[in-house]
Amino acid sequence: MDLYEKIKELAAQKHTSIRKIEEHLGYGNGTIRRWNKNKPNYDKIQAVAKFFNVSVDYLLGNEELKKTNKPVDLKKVISEKKPTSWDDPRIDWNEWVSFDGEPISDDVKKMLFAIYGDKLTD
């Protein structure tokens, strides 16, 4: 799997689009798509890796994704990412919250954001 395909897969897992990722990172439209033909500089790959909370080596296919079940410090994550809406691509709901081991629905995400939204934003 090439770099673009890996990013596309990660975006799908976060329920976001490549375009939204490009906007968030300040990249022009189609920048990431072109990476399947033109190699990006390290800084751009590193920014994408940080966005997805994976290593550059993982994006480049040099290592497998390491899944951990370590606790997530929500206060720290929220203060660093400062989400602005329930579907902000920086929120990894599947990492933070599940119900009976299954991902929560968009309706539940909206409800949680409505209840705790003031705690999630500045």
Side-chain angles (χ1 to χ4, degrees), residues 8-71:
K8 190 172 154 184
E9 179 182 278
L10 289 167
Q13 290 172 7
K14 278 193 157 238
H15 306 288
T16 192
S17 68
I18 296 293
R19 182 65 198 127
K20 284 186 179 179
I21 297 164
E22 289 171 334
E23 287 173 1
H24 174 75
L25 296 174
Y27 300 164
N29 189 17
T31 297
I32 293 175
R33 175 77 176 126
R34 289 189 293 274
W35 291 357
N36 61 354
K37 294 181 182 170
N38 303 316
K39 298 299 175 208
N41 66 38
Y42 182 81
D43 292 339
K44 288 191 177 206
I45 298 173
Q46 189 174 35
V48 171
K50 185 175 180 182
F51 178 86
F52 286 114
N53 196 29
V54 298
S55 70
V56 170
D57 279 335
Y58 172 75
L59 285 180
L60 297 176
N62 298 327
E63 71 179 20
E64 294 296 314
L65 185 59
K66 296 174 185 140
K67 295 261 182 183
T68 62
N69 289 327
K70 65 181 182 179

Short mmCIF file of all heavy atoms in Angstrom, two decimals, residues 8-71:
data_model
loop_
_atom_site.label_atom_id
_atom_site.label_comp_id
_atom_site.label_asym_id
_atom_site.label_seq_id
_atom_site.Cartn_x
_atom_site.Cartn_y
_atom_site.Cartn_z
N LYS A 8 -5.44 7.60 2.96
CA LYS A 8 -6.86 7.46 2.62
C LYS A 8 -7.55 6.48 3.59
O LYS A 8 -8.66 6.74 4.06
CB LYS A 8 -6.97 6.96 1.17
CG LYS A 8 -8.34 6.97 0.60
CD LYS A 8 -8.23 6.62 -0.89
CE LYS A 8 -9.49 6.02 -1.40
NZ LYS A 8 -9.39 5.60 -2.80
N GLU A 9 -6.88 5.39 3.90
CA GLU A 9 -7.43 4.40 4.84
C GLU A 9 -7.57 5.00 6.24
O GLU A 9 -8.60 4.82 6.91
CB GLU A 9 -6.51 3.18 4.88
CG GLU A 9 -6.96 2.11 5.83
CD GLU A 9 -5.97 0.95 5.85
OE1 GLU A 9 -6.05 0.09 4.95
OE2 GLU A 9 -5.11 0.93 6.75
N LEU A 10 -6.56 5.72 6.69
CA LEU A 10 -6.62 6.36 8.01
C LEU A 10 -7.73 7.41 8.05
O LEU A 10 -8.44 7.53 9.05
CB LEU A 10 -5.28 7.00 8.36
CG LEU A 10 -4.14 6.03 8.68
CD1 LEU A 10 -2.80 6.76 8.70
CD2 LEU A 10 -4.39 5.33 10.00
N ALA A 11 -7.90 8.15 6.97
CA ALA A 11 -8.96 9.16 6.90
C ALA A 11 -10.33 8.49 7.02
O ALA A 11 -11.21 8.97 7.73
CB ALA A 11 -8.86 9.95 5.61
N ALA A 12 -10.51 7.38 6.33
CA ALA A 12 -11.78 6.65 6.40
C ALA A 12 -12.06 6.17 7.82
O ALA A 12 -13.19 6.24 8.30
CB ALA A 12 -11.77 5.48 5.42
N GLN A 13 -11.03 5.71 8.50
CA GLN A 13 -11.18 5.26 9.88
C GLN A 13 -11.59 6.40 10.80
O GLN A 13 -12.28 6.19 11.79
CB GLN A 13 -9.88 4.63 10.39
CG GLN A 13 -9.55 3.31 9.76
CD GLN A 13 -8.17 2.81 10.14
OE1 GLN A 13 -7.49 3.38 10.99
NE2 GLN A 13 -7.73 1.74 9.50
N LYS A 14 -11.18 7.61 10.47
CA LYS A 14 -11.53 8.79 11.28
C LYS A 14 -12.80 9.47 10.75
O LYS A 14 -13.20 10.51 11.26
CB LYS A 14 -10.39 9.82 11.24
CG LYS A 14 -9.31 9.53 12.21
CD LYS A 14 -8.43 10.75 12.33
CE LYS A 14 -7.70 10.73 13.61
NZ LYS A 14 -7.86 11.79 14.49
N HIS A 15 -13.40 8.88 9.73
CA HIS A 15 -14.61 9.43 9.13
C HIS A 15 -14.40 10.87 8.66
O HIS A 15 -15.21 11.75 8.95
CB HIS A 15 -15.80 9.34 10.09
CG HIS A 15 -16.03 7.95 10.61
ND1 HIS A 15 -16.55 6.95 9.82
CD2 HIS A 15 -15.78 7.40 11.82
CE1 HIS A 15 -16.61 5.84 10.53
NE2 HIS A 15 -16.15 6.09 11.74
N THR A 16 -13.30 11.08 7.99
CA THR A 16 -13.01 12.40 7.43
C THR A 16 -12.51 12.24 6.00
O THR A 16 -12.30 11.12 5.53
CB THR A 16 -11.98 13.16 8.30
OG1 THR A 16 -11.94 14.52 7.88
CG2 THR A 16 -10.59 12.55 8.22
N SER A 17 -12.37 13.33 5.32
CA SER A 17 -11.93 13.30 3.92
C SER A 17 -10.49 13.79 3.81
O SER A 17 -9.99 14.51 4.68
CB SER A 17 -12.83 14.17 3.06
OG SER A 17 -12.65 15.55 3.40
N ILE A 18 -9.86 13.41 2.72
CA ILE A 18 -8.52 13.89 2.43
C ILE A 18 -8.54 15.42 2.36
O ILE A 18 -7.65 16.09 2.87
CB ILE A 18 -8.00 13.30 1.11
CG1 ILE A 18 -7.86 11.78 1.21
CG2 ILE A 18 -6.68 13.94 0.69
CD1 ILE A 18 -6.80 11.28 2.14
N ARG A 19 -9.58 15.97 1.76
CA ARG A 19 -9.69 17.43 1.62
C ARG A 19 -9.72 18.12 2.99
O ARG A 19 -9.06 19.14 3.19
CB ARG A 19 -10.94 17.80 0.80
CG ARG A 19 -11.08 19.28 0.58
CD ARG A 19 -9.94 19.84 -0.28
NE ARG A 19 -9.84 21.26 -0.15
CZ ARG A 19 -8.73 21.93 0.17
NH1 ARG A 19 -7.60 21.30 0.37
NH2 ARG A 19 -8.74 23.23 0.28
N LYS A 20 -10.48 17.56 3.93
CA LYS A 20 -10.54 18.16 5.26
C LYS A 20 -9.17 18.11 5.95
O LYS A 20 -8.79 19.03 6.66
CB LYS A 20 -11.59 17.47 6.13
CG LYS A 20 -13.00 17.88 5.78
CD LYS A 20 -13.98 17.26 6.75
CE LYS A 20 -15.40 17.69 6.41
NZ LYS A 20 -16.38 17.11 7.32
N ILE A 21 -8.46 17.03 5.73
CA ILE A 21 -7.11 16.91 6.30
C ILE A 21 -6.19 17.97 5.68
O ILE A 21 -5.45 18.65 6.39
CB ILE A 21 -6.53 15.50 6.07
CG1 ILE A 21 -7.39 14.46 6.80
CG2 ILE A 21 -5.08 15.42 6.52
CD1 ILE A 21 -7.16 13.05 6.35
N GLU A 22 -6.27 18.12 4.36
CA GLU A 22 -5.46 19.14 3.68
C GLU A 22 -5.78 20.53 4.22
O GLU A 22 -4.87 21.33 4.47
CB GLU A 22 -5.71 19.09 2.17
CG GLU A 22 -5.13 17.87 1.51
CD GLU A 22 -5.55 17.69 0.07
OE1 GLU A 22 -6.64 18.19 -0.32
OE2 GLU A 22 -4.80 17.04 -0.68
N GLU A 23 -7.06 20.82 4.39
CA GLU A 23 -7.46 22.13 4.92
C GLU A 23 -6.90 22.33 6.32
O GLU A 23 -6.35 23.39 6.62
CB GLU A 23 -8.98 22.26 4.95
CG GLU A 23 -9.61 22.43 3.59
CD GLU A 23 -11.13 22.38 3.64
OE1 GLU A 23 -11.71 22.23 4.73
OE2 GLU A 23 -11.74 22.48 2.56
N HIS A 24 -7.05 21.32 7.16
CA HIS A 24 -6.56 21.41 8.54
C HIS A 24 -5.05 21.67 8.58
O HIS A 24 -4.57 22.43 9.41
CB HIS A 24 -6.91 20.15 9.32
CG HIS A 24 -6.33 20.13 10.68
ND1 HIS A 24 -6.82 20.88 11.72
CD2 HIS A 24 -5.26 19.46 11.18
CE1 HIS A 24 -6.09 20.67 12.79
NE2 HIS A 24 -5.13 19.82 12.50
N LEU A 25 -4.32 21.01 7.70
CA LEU A 25 -2.86 21.13 7.70
C LEU A 25 -2.36 22.32 6.87
O LEU A 25 -1.16 22.57 6.83
CB LEU A 25 -2.23 19.82 7.20
CG LEU A 25 -2.48 18.60 8.08
CD1 LEU A 25 -1.93 17.34 7.41
CD2 LEU A 25 -1.87 18.78 9.46
N GLY A 26 -3.29 23.01 6.20
CA GLY A 26 -2.90 24.16 5.40
C GLY A 26 -2.31 23.80 4.04
O GLY A 26 -1.57 24.58 3.45
N TYR A 27 -2.65 22.62 3.54
CA TYR A 27 -2.16 22.18 2.23
C TYR A 27 -3.17 22.54 1.16
O TYR A 27 -4.37 22.59 1.42
CB TYR A 27 -1.94 20.65 2.20
CG TYR A 27 -0.95 20.12 3.20
CD1 TYR A 27 -0.91 18.78 3.48
CD2 TYR A 27 -0.04 20.95 3.85
CE1 TYR A 27 0.00 18.25 4.40
CE2 TYR A 27 0.87 20.44 4.77
CZ TYR A 27 0.88 19.10 5.03
OH TYR A 27 1.79 18.60 5.93
N GLY A 28 -2.69 22.76 -0.04
CA GLY A 28 -3.58 23.05 -1.16
C GLY A 28 -4.41 21.84 -1.54
O GLY A 28 -4.05 20.69 -1.25
N ASN A 29 -5.53 22.10 -2.22
CA ASN A 29 -6.42 21.03 -2.67
C ASN A 29 -5.66 20.07 -3.60
O ASN A 29 -5.03 20.50 -4.56
CB ASN A 29 -7.62 21.65 -3.39
CG ASN A 29 -8.68 20.64 -3.70
OD1 ASN A 29 -8.71 19.55 -3.14
ND2 ASN A 29 -9.58 21.00 -4.60
N GLY A 30 -5.73 18.79 -3.31
CA GLY A 30 -5.08 17.78 -4.14
C GLY A 30 -3.64 17.49 -3.79
O GLY A 30 -3.00 16.64 -4.42
N THR A 31 -3.11 18.19 -2.78
CA THR A 31 -1.70 18.00 -2.41
C THR A 31 -1.42 16.55 -2.04
O THR A 31 -0.49 15.93 -2.57
CB THR A 31 -1.32 18.92 -1.23
OG1 THR A 31 -1.46 20.28 -1.65
CG2 THR A 31 0.10 18.67 -0.76
N ILE A 32 -2.21 16.00 -1.15
CA ILE A 32 -1.96 14.63 -0.67
C ILE A 32 -2.19 13.63 -1.80
O ILE A 32 -1.44 12.66 -1.94
CB ILE A 32 -2.82 14.31 0.57
CG1 ILE A 32 -2.35 15.18 1.75
CG2 ILE A 32 -2.74 12.83 0.93
CD1 ILE A 32 -3.18 15.06 3.01
N ARG A 33 -3.16 13.86 -2.63
CA ARG A 33 -3.43 12.96 -3.77
C ARG A 33 -2.22 12.84 -4.68
O ARG A 33 -1.92 11.77 -5.21
CB ARG A 33 -4.66 13.46 -4.55
CG ARG A 33 -4.94 12.67 -5.80
CD ARG A 33 -5.62 11.36 -5.43
NE ARG A 33 -5.97 10.63 -6.61
CZ ARG A 33 -5.61 9.38 -6.84
NH1 ARG A 33 -4.91 8.72 -5.96
NH2 ARG A 33 -5.99 8.76 -7.93
N ARG A 34 -1.52 13.94 -4.85
CA ARG A 34 -0.35 13.93 -5.74
C ARG A 34 0.83 13.16 -5.16
O ARG A 34 1.79 12.87 -5.86
CB ARG A 34 0.06 15.36 -6.08
CG ARG A 34 -0.92 16.05 -7.01
CD ARG A 34 -0.38 17.39 -7.51
NE ARG A 34 -0.28 18.39 -6.47
CZ ARG A 34 -1.27 19.19 -6.07
NH1 ARG A 34 -2.45 19.09 -6.63
NH2 ARG A 34 -1.07 20.08 -5.12
N TRP A 35 0.75 12.82 -3.88
CA TRP A 35 1.85 12.10 -3.25
C TRP A 35 2.02 10.69 -3.79
O TRP A 35 3.04 10.06 -3.56
CB TRP A 35 1.69 12.06 -1.74
CG TRP A 35 1.86 13.40 -1.09
CD1 TRP A 35 2.20 14.58 -1.70
CD2 TRP A 35 1.70 13.70 0.29
NE1 TRP A 35 2.25 15.59 -0.79
CE2 TRP A 35 1.95 15.09 0.45
CE3 TRP A 35 1.36 12.96 1.40
CZ2 TRP A 35 1.88 15.71 1.69
CZ3 TRP A 35 1.29 13.58 2.63
CH2 TRP A 35 1.55 14.95 2.77
N ASN A 36 1.03 10.18 -4.51
CA ASN A 36 1.21 8.85 -5.09
C ASN A 36 2.13 8.92 -6.31
O ASN A 36 2.61 7.89 -6.78
CB ASN A 36 -0.13 8.19 -5.42
CG ASN A 36 -0.94 8.94 -6.43
OD1 ASN A 36 -0.59 10.05 -6.84
ND2 ASN A 36 -2.05 8.37 -6.84
N LYS A 37 2.43 10.13 -6.80
CA LYS A 37 3.36 10.29 -7.94
C LYS A 37 4.60 11.09 -7.55
O LYS A 37 5.69 10.80 -8.01
CB LYS A 37 2.64 10.99 -9.09
CG LYS A 37 1.54 10.15 -9.69
CD LYS A 37 0.87 10.84 -10.83
CE LYS A 37 -0.25 9.94 -11.33
NZ LYS A 37 -1.11 10.57 -12.27
N ASN A 38 4.41 12.11 -6.73
CA ASN A 38 5.51 12.97 -6.29
C ASN A 38 5.71 12.81 -4.80
O ASN A 38 4.77 12.94 -4.04
CB ASN A 38 5.21 14.44 -6.60
CG ASN A 38 4.93 14.66 -8.06
OD1 ASN A 38 5.63 14.15 -8.91
ND2 ASN A 38 3.90 15.43 -8.35
N LYS A 39 6.92 12.56 -4.40
CA LYS A 39 7.20 12.34 -2.98
C LYS A 39 7.21 13.68 -2.25
O LYS A 39 7.88 14.61 -2.66
CB LYS A 39 8.55 11.64 -2.80
CG LYS A 39 8.59 10.27 -3.44
CD LYS A 39 7.56 9.35 -2.84
CE LYS A 39 7.51 8.04 -3.55
NZ LYS A 39 6.22 7.40 -3.50
N PRO A 40 6.48 13.77 -1.14
CA PRO A 40 6.46 15.00 -0.35
C PRO A 40 7.71 15.14 0.50
O PRO A 40 8.45 14.17 0.69
CB PRO A 40 5.23 14.81 0.55
CG PRO A 40 5.16 13.33 0.72
CD PRO A 40 5.62 12.74 -0.58
N ASN A 41 7.92 16.34 1.04
CA ASN A 41 9.06 16.50 1.94
C ASN A 41 8.71 15.90 3.30
O ASN A 41 7.55 15.66 3.62
CB ASN A 41 9.51 17.97 2.05
CG ASN A 41 8.49 18.86 2.70
OD1 ASN A 41 7.81 18.48 3.65
ND2 ASN A 41 8.38 20.09 2.22
N TYR A 42 9.74 15.68 4.08
CA TYR A 42 9.58 15.00 5.37
C TYR A 42 8.64 15.76 6.30
O TYR A 42 7.83 15.15 7.01
CB TYR A 42 10.95 14.80 6.03
CG TYR A 42 10.87 14.07 7.34
CD1 TYR A 42 10.77 12.69 7.38
CD2 TYR A 42 10.87 14.77 8.55
CE1 TYR A 42 10.67 12.01 8.59
CE2 TYR A 42 10.78 14.10 9.75
CZ TYR A 42 10.68 12.72 9.76
OH TYR A 42 10.58 12.05 10.95
N ASP A 43 8.72 17.09 6.32
CA ASP A 43 7.88 17.88 7.22
C ASP A 43 6.40 17.65 6.96
O ASP A 43 5.60 17.60 7.89
CB ASP A 43 8.20 19.37 7.09
CG ASP A 43 9.59 19.71 7.62
OD1 ASP A 43 10.13 18.93 8.42
OD2 ASP A 43 10.13 20.78 7.24
N LYS A 44 6.03 17.52 5.70
CA LYS A 44 4.61 17.30 5.37
C LYS A 44 4.16 15.91 5.82
O LYS A 44 3.07 15.75 6.35
CB LYS A 44 4.36 17.50 3.88
CG LYS A 44 4.45 18.96 3.49
CD LYS A 44 3.95 19.21 2.11
CE LYS A 44 4.02 20.71 1.86
NZ LYS A 44 3.10 21.19 0.89
N ILE A 45 5.00 14.92 5.58
CA ILE A 45 4.66 13.56 6.03
C ILE A 45 4.56 13.54 7.55
O ILE A 45 3.65 12.94 8.12
CB ILE A 45 5.70 12.53 5.55
CG1 ILE A 45 5.73 12.47 4.03
CG2 ILE A 45 5.40 11.15 6.12
CD1 ILE A 45 6.84 11.61 3.47
N GLN A 46 5.47 14.22 8.21
CA GLN A 46 5.47 14.26 9.67
C GLN A 46 4.20 14.92 10.21
O GLN A 46 3.62 14.45 11.19
CB GLN A 46 6.71 15.00 10.18
CG GLN A 46 6.92 14.90 11.67
CD GLN A 46 8.23 15.54 12.10
OE1 GLN A 46 8.65 16.54 11.53
NE2 GLN A 46 8.85 14.95 13.09
N ALA A 47 3.73 15.96 9.54
CA ALA A 47 2.49 16.63 9.97
C ALA A 47 1.30 15.70 9.83
O ALA A 47 0.42 15.65 10.70
CB ALA A 47 2.28 17.91 9.16
N VAL A 48 1.26 14.93 8.75
CA VAL A 48 0.16 13.98 8.55
C VAL A 48 0.24 12.88 9.60
O VAL A 48 -0.77 12.48 10.18
CB VAL A 48 0.16 13.40 7.12
CG1 VAL A 48 -0.84 12.26 6.98
CG2 VAL A 48 -0.13 14.49 6.10
N ALA A 49 1.44 12.39 9.88
CA ALA A 49 1.62 11.36 10.90
C ALA A 49 1.14 11.86 12.25
O ALA A 49 0.43 11.14 12.97
CB ALA A 49 3.09 10.93 10.97
N LYS A 50 1.47 13.09 12.59
CA LYS A 50 1.04 13.66 13.86
C LYS A 50 -0.48 13.80 13.89
O LYS A 50 -1.11 13.51 14.91
CB LYS A 50 1.71 15.02 14.07
CG LYS A 50 1.40 15.64 15.40
CD LYS A 50 2.17 16.93 15.62
CE LYS A 50 1.82 17.52 16.97
NZ LYS A 50 2.50 18.78 17.21
N PHE A 51 -1.08 14.21 12.79
CA PHE A 51 -2.54 14.35 12.70
C PHE A 51 -3.23 13.04 13.04
O PHE A 51 -4.22 13.01 13.75
CB PHE A 51 -2.93 14.82 11.30
CG PHE A 51 -4.41 14.95 11.10
CD1 PHE A 51 -5.07 16.12 11.44
CD2 PHE A 51 -5.15 13.91 10.57
CE1 PHE A 51 -6.44 16.25 11.27
CE2 PHE A 51 -6.52 14.03 10.39
CZ PHE A 51 -7.16 15.20 10.74
N PHE A 52 -2.69 11.93 12.51
CA PHE A 52 -3.30 10.62 12.72
C PHE A 52 -2.75 9.89 13.95
O PHE A 52 -3.16 8.77 14.25
CB PHE A 52 -3.11 9.73 11.49
CG PHE A 52 -3.98 10.11 10.34
CD1 PHE A 52 -3.42 10.59 9.16
CD2 PHE A 52 -5.35 9.99 10.41
CE1 PHE A 52 -4.23 10.93 8.08
CE2 PHE A 52 -6.17 10.33 9.35
CZ PHE A 52 -5.60 10.81 8.18
N ASN A 53 -1.78 10.49 14.62
CA ASN A 53 -1.16 9.87 15.77
C ASN A 53 -0.53 8.52 15.41
O ASN A 53 -0.73 7.51 16.10
CB ASN A 53 -2.18 9.72 16.92
CG ASN A 53 -1.50 9.45 18.24
OD1 ASN A 53 -0.36 9.85 18.46
ND2 ASN A 53 -2.17 8.73 19.12
N VAL A 54 0.20 8.52 14.30
CA VAL A 54 0.95 7.34 13.87
C VAL A 54 2.38 7.81 13.58
O VAL A 54 2.66 9.00 13.52
CB VAL A 54 0.34 6.68 12.60
CG1 VAL A 54 -1.06 6.18 12.87
CG2 VAL A 54 0.36 7.62 11.40
N SER A 55 3.26 6.87 13.36
CA SER A 55 4.65 7.23 13.05
C SER A 55 4.82 7.48 11.56
O SER A 55 4.04 6.99 10.73
CB SER A 55 5.60 6.11 13.50
OG SER A 55 5.43 4.97 12.67
N VAL A 56 5.87 8.22 11.23
CA VAL A 56 6.22 8.43 9.82
C VAL A 56 6.55 7.08 9.20
O VAL A 56 6.16 6.79 8.06
CB VAL A 56 7.40 9.41 9.69
CG1 VAL A 56 7.94 9.45 8.27
CG2 VAL A 56 6.98 10.82 10.14
N ASP A 57 7.25 6.23 9.95
CA ASP A 57 7.58 4.89 9.44
C ASP A 57 6.33 4.10 9.09
O ASP A 57 6.31 3.37 8.09
CB ASP A 57 8.43 4.11 10.44
CG ASP A 57 9.89 4.50 10.39
OD1 ASP A 57 10.34 4.99 9.34
OD2 ASP A 57 10.59 4.32 11.40
N TYR A 58 5.28 4.24 9.88
CA TYR A 58 4.03 3.55 9.55
C TYR A 58 3.48 4.08 8.23
O TYR A 58 3.10 3.30 7.35
CB TYR A 58 3.00 3.70 10.66
CG TYR A 58 1.66 3.16 10.24
CD1 TYR A 58 1.44 1.79 10.17
CD2 TYR A 58 0.63 4.01 9.84
CE1 TYR A 58 0.23 1.28 9.74
CE2 TYR A 58 -0.59 3.50 9.41
CZ TYR A 58 -0.78 2.14 9.35
OH TYR A 58 -1.98 1.63 8.91
N LEU A 59 3.43 5.39 8.07
CA LEU A 59 2.91 5.96 6.82
C LEU A 59 3.71 5.51 5.62
O LEU A 59 3.16 5.28 4.54
CB LEU A 59 2.91 7.49 6.88
CG LEU A 59 1.84 8.16 7.73
CD1 LEU A 59 1.99 9.67 7.67
CD2 LEU A 59 0.45 7.75 7.28
N LEU A 60 5.02 5.36 5.79
CA LEU A 60 5.88 4.98 4.68
C LEU A 60 5.94 3.47 4.48
O LEU A 60 6.62 2.99 3.57
CB LEU A 60 7.29 5.54 4.90
CG LEU A 60 7.38 7.06 4.92
CD1 LEU A 60 8.79 7.51 5.24
CD2 LEU A 60 6.90 7.65 3.60
N GLY A 61 5.22 2.72 5.32
CA GLY A 61 5.17 1.27 5.15
C GLY A 61 6.33 0.53 5.75
O GLY A 61 6.56 -0.65 5.45
N ASN A 62 7.10 1.19 6.62
CA ASN A 62 8.27 0.55 7.22
C ASN A 62 7.97 -0.17 8.53
O ASN A 62 8.84 -0.85 9.07
CB ASN A 62 9.37 1.58 7.46
CG ASN A 62 9.85 2.19 6.17
OD1 ASN A 62 9.87 1.54 5.13
ND2 ASN A 62 10.22 3.46 6.21
N GLU A 63 6.76 0.03 9.07
CA GLU A 63 6.38 -0.67 10.29
C GLU A 63 4.87 -0.83 10.32
O GLU A 63 4.14 -0.13 9.63
CB GLU A 63 6.87 0.06 11.54
CG GLU A 63 6.15 1.35 11.84
CD GLU A 63 6.64 2.04 13.11
OE1 GLU A 63 7.76 1.74 13.57
OE2 GLU A 63 5.89 2.86 13.64
N GLU A 64 4.43 -1.77 11.14
CA GLU A 64 3.00 -2.01 11.32
C GLU A 64 2.44 -1.03 12.34
O GLU A 64 3.17 -0.54 13.21
CB GLU A 64 2.77 -3.45 11.80
CG GLU A 64 3.14 -4.50 10.79
CD GLU A 64 2.29 -4.44 9.54
OE1 GLU A 64 1.06 -4.33 9.67
OE2 GLU A 64 2.86 -4.51 8.44
N LEU A 65 1.15 -0.79 12.26
CA LEU A 65 0.49 0.07 13.23
C LEU A 65 0.41 -0.68 14.55
O LEU A 65 -0.03 -1.82 14.60
CB LEU A 65 -0.91 0.43 12.75
CG LEU A 65 -1.68 1.42 13.61
CD1 LEU A 65 -0.94 2.74 13.72
CD2 LEU A 65 -3.06 1.66 13.03
N LYS A 66 0.86 -0.03 15.58
CA LYS A 66 0.83 -0.63 16.91
C LYS A 66 -0.40 -0.14 17.64
O LYS A 66 -0.51 1.04 17.96
CB LYS A 66 2.10 -0.28 17.68
CG LYS A 66 3.34 -0.84 17.04
CD LYS A 66 4.59 -0.35 17.75
CE LYS A 66 5.79 -0.85 16.97
NZ LYS A 66 6.84 0.12 16.89
N LYS A 67 -1.31 -1.04 17.89
CA LYS A 67 -2.52 -0.71 18.64
C LYS A 67 -2.24 -0.94 20.12
O LYS A 67 -1.70 -1.96 20.50
CB LYS A 67 -3.69 -1.60 18.21
CG LYS A 67 -4.12 -1.38 16.78
CD LYS A 67 -5.29 -0.49 16.76
CE LYS A 67 -5.74 -0.32 15.31
NZ LYS A 67 -6.82 0.58 15.20
N THR A 68 -2.62 0.04 20.92
CA THR A 68 -2.47 -0.12 22.35
C THR A 68 -3.79 0.17 23.03
O THR A 68 -4.63 0.89 22.49
CB THR A 68 -1.40 0.83 22.92
OG1 THR A 68 -1.81 2.17 22.68
CG2 THR A 68 -0.05 0.60 22.30
N ASN A 69 -3.97 -0.39 24.16
CA ASN A 69 -5.17 -0.12 24.95
C ASN A 69 -4.83 0.72 26.16
O ASN A 69 -5.46 0.62 27.19
CB ASN A 69 -5.82 -1.44 25.39
CG ASN A 69 -6.44 -2.16 24.23
OD1 ASN A 69 -6.94 -1.52 23.32
ND2 ASN A 69 -6.40 -3.47 24.25
N LYS A 70 -3.81 1.56 26.01
CA LYS A 70 -3.43 2.40 27.15
C LYS A 70 -4.47 3.50 27.33
O LYS A 70 -5.11 3.95 26.38
CB LYS A 70 -2.04 2.98 26.94
CG LYS A 70 -1.93 3.95 25.79
CD LYS A 70 -0.52 4.46 25.67
CE LYS A 70 -0.47 5.47 24.51
NZ LYS A 70 0.81 6.03 24.32
N PRO A 71 -4.63 3.95 28.56
CA PRO A 71 -5.60 5.01 28.83
C PRO A 71 -5.26 6.29 28.08
O PRO A 71 -4.10 6.60 27.87
CB PRO A 71 -5.48 5.22 30.34
CG PRO A 71 -4.78 4.03 30.87
CD PRO A 71 -3.95 3.48 29.75
#
